Amino acid sequence: MSNVSETIQKMGVVPVVVLNDAKDAAPLAKALCEGGLPCAEVTFRTDAAEESIRVMTTEYPEMFVGAGTVLTIEQVDRAVAAGAKFIVSPGFDPEIVDYCLSKEIPVYPGCITPSEVAQAVKRGLKVVKFFPAEQFGGVATIKALAAPYVGVKFMPTGGVSAKNLESYLSCDKIVACGGSWMVKGDLVKEGKFDEIKALVEEAVSLVAEIRNK
Ligand code: 3PG
């Protein structure tokens, strides 16, 4: 696995972040760092994504930040220029994947069918996103997909939370889970960064507990 995939695996959980205002990026990064999970997938679902990545990575250099919901090559360029260390897409877009590979940018496309995993394998990818995880059968589907594609591991997101994290992280085909449950939109909007920090701390202890079993 690449260094970036190894870092993601070490984290165990990647907070999926939707920021409407880049002014929230610094206090959020602080909460994530203090909570013990200096990591985020900042989604390009809002116009604030690029600036938020820039703020997080410059003001908190220990933050390991990737860009999520990347749907165009232009977004890849903007994300990387802002400091993103990896690119995540909800689906498998060959144009985006090939562009990232040509620039040696770590990329995690969403793959939920054998045909999509096959395209990833053909390009040498070792870790792919599995989204939306719960709706597409969760761990059972991942295990079935991983059986023929022995070298591939998955990063499920979509419907993962503290409640079902153990079932996912107990599977050796899963490197880490992404999720928004620690960084809910209303908590960010209301400036409840202490609550976010507490949810992050809970997730960090949960990962340690699951992995030490
Ligand atoms: C993603 O983009 O990975 C998902 O929207 C995260 O899903 P969740 O909100 O159910 O955690």
Side-chain angles (χ1 to χ4, degrees), residues 32-91:
L32 292 169
C33 290
E34 289 178 358
L37 197 55
C39 174
E41 177 189 317
V42 179
T43 61
F44 267 76
R45 287 173 211 184
T46 66
D47 292 339
E50 181 182 353
E51 184 57 13
S52 299
I53 293 171
R54 187 167 291 114
V55 168
M56 283 183 172
T57 52
T58 50
E59 294 188 24
Y60 291 85
E62 67 271 45
M63 277 291 289
F64 181 67
V65 182
T69 322
V70 173
L71 305 179
T72 66
I73 281 173
E74 186 242 340
Q75 287 175 337
V76 173
D77 287 337
R78 284 168 49 208
V80 171
K85 298 283 185 302
F86 59 96
I87 297 294
V88 183
S89 292

Side-chain angles (χ1 to χ4, degrees), residues 16 18 41 43 45 68-69 88 90 129-132 135 156-161 178-181:
V16 174
V18 183
E41 177 189 317
T43 61
R45 287 173 211 184
T69 322
V88 183
K129 179 176 166 120
F130 182 81
F131 170 81
Q135 292 82 348
T157 70
V160 183
S161 71
S180 63
W181 81 92

